[in-house]
């Protein structure tokens, strides 16, 4: 019986020590799901801290700068008018609204001819296309384009 008691005690010690390993207060190995969750959480935290640092170091926004580029190679004549496509580009960071664009064509004969259009919405870094319509050929005169005004929302 001595051997049996020794065997039973050894069995209880093994059972006792294994139950300590699985108890909530004891040290236990992390599952794959826990490691995955921990890794994702750390990655999100590092991303947020990095983005915040970048925005702080970068400083302020580049102010809105509207550029108007006539596309003379795409000029066409139709229905008694000359259609001149233009590209309007916001080279700044903030979004602008109600961008008023004007073109003036001076052919040397009388008053200069003007044409206008409005771009309703132009995000930072975005470009849109518009078209000026003239009675005279813009290729035969002095064309000036300019931004008249815009609003920052």
């Amino acid at each position: 019986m001595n051997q049996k008691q020794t065997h039973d005690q050894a069995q209880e010690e093994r059972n006792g020590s294994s139950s300590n390993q699985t108890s909530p207060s004891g040290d236990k190995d992390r599952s794959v799901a826990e490691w995955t969750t921990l890794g994702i959480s750390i990655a999100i935290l590092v991303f947020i801290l990095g983005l915040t640092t970048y925005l702080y170091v970068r400083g302020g926004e580049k102010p809105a700068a509207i550029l108007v580029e006539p596309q003379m190679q795409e000029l066409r004549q139709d229905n008694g008018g000359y259609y001149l496509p233009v590209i309007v580009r916001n080279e700044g960071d903030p979004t602008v609204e109600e961008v008023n664009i004007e073109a003036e064509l001076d052919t040397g004969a009388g008053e200069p001819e003007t044409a206008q259009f409005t771009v309703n919405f132009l995000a930072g870094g975005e470009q849109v296309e518009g078209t000026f319509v003239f009675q005279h050929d813009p290729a035969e005169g002095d064309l000036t384009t300019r931004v008249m005004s815009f609003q920052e929302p």
Side-chain angles (χ1 to χ4, degrees), residues 34-68:
E34 289 174 320
W35 280 112
T36 303
T37 304
L38 178 65
I40 291 171
S41 300
I42 290 172
I44 291 171
L45 184 62
V46 167
F47 173 76
I48 290 172
L49 289 174
L51 182 61
T52 304
T53 303
Y54 169 76
L55 292 175
Y56 178 76
V57 170
R58 189 182 95 170
E61 292 184 332
K62 183 178 174 185
I66 312 302
L67 230 68
V68 181

Side-chain angles (χ1 to χ4, degrees), residues 1 3-14:
M1 198 144 112
Q3 285 182 336
K4 184 174 181 185
Q5 286 176 347
T6 308
H7 178 57
D8 289 342
Q9 287 174 350
Q11 185 70 23
E12 286 176 14
E13 287 176 11
R14 275 184 275 166

Side-chain angles (χ1 to χ4, degrees), residues 89-105:
R89 178 178 296 124
N90 181 356
E91 293 191 339
D93 291 329
T95 298
V96 294
E97 295 177 343
E98 302 297 322
V99 182
N100 295 310
I101 310 294
E102 181 181 77
E104 184 177 272
L105 175 61

